[in-house]
Amino acid sequence: MSGLGWSTAFVVDNPPAQAFAAIIDVRGWWSEEIEGPTDMLGGEFTYHYQDVHRCTMRVVELVPSERVVWLCLDNSFSFNQDKTEWIGTRVTFSVSREGDTTHVAFTHEGLVPEYECFAECSTAWAGYISGSLKSLMTTGTGRPNKAEAKTAALAP
């Protein structure tokens, strides 16, 4: 990766350990449909949103209260010609104390304007990061995608 990508940041009053705990609680701010570990080095998890987006991430760096990095191993979009955009990109969260506040920085390295998904993905990340994740940190409640209801026809 070139280091280029989409970034955003915000400040909260929480201590770094609390902010970090919210970040790795991916089900609490991104999607209730996350499968797999999100809080351990080497852990792999899958994100799913309806038939629109699926991706598999591996936690490739984890420094408690400071930094977590995901590597996108697999990806599929229903709305793109190139269904594989994101594969090989990195998602980084950095947490640092600044006086009485905590600075939270997010970068999706490799998510660049040349990507077909850039407009949709950067808008979605803005909502998840500056909206849902920040809300989880400041109020204890995020706004993740809800789990899809299982139909009665699938019951034994």
Side-chain angles (χ1 to χ4, degrees):
M1 286 288 108
S2 65
L4 299 175
W6 187 84
S7 297
T8 190
F10 59 85
V11 174
V12 292
D13 291 333
N14 310 58
Q18 281 184 336
F20 189 81
I23 291 167
I24 62 174
D25 177 12
V26 182
R27 290 166 193 84
W29 62 266
W30 193 10
S31 176
E32 294 176 352
E33 297 272 348
I34 298 288
E35 294 178 16
T38 61
D39 59 351
M40 58 184 275
L41 186 61
E44 292 185 8
F45 64 92
T46 302
Y47 165 85
H48 165 249
Y49 178 68
Q50 298 175 355
D51 65 347
V52 176
H53 185 202
R54 278 190 183 278
C55 68
T56 301
M57 299 288 196
R58 177 183 294 142
V59 180
V60 295
E61 189 176 337
L62 184 77
V63 180
S65 301
E66 292 180 19
R67 181 177 167 92
V68 64
V69 181
W70 307 335
L71 172 64
C72 184
L73 302 174
D74 193 27
N75 189 71
S76 179
F77 292 118
S78 65
F79 56 88
N80 267 20
Q81 286 292 103
D82 181 355
K83 309 272 185 237
T84 64
E85 287 182 345
W86 280 31
I87 295 176
T89 64
R90 291 178 178 261
V91 174
T92 301
F93 296 86
S94 298
V95 178
S96 60
R97 193 70 174 164
E98 294 183 0
D100 292 339
T101 62
T102 296
H103 183 261
V104 178
F106 169 90
T107 299
H108 187 156
E109 183 180 339
L111 178 59
V112 293
E114 293 79 21
Y115 269 15
E116 184 182 354
C117 75
F118 183 78
E120 291 88 355
C121 292
S122 57
T123 299
W125 274 137
Y128 288 122
I129 303 303
S130 299
S132 185
L133 177 58
K134 185 175 182 181
S135 177
L136 180 60
M137 289 180 189
T138 58
T139 71
T141 303
R143 296 185 296 273
N145 297 334
K146 296 297 180 193
E148 293 180 43
K150 307 293 185 222
T151 64
L154 297 177

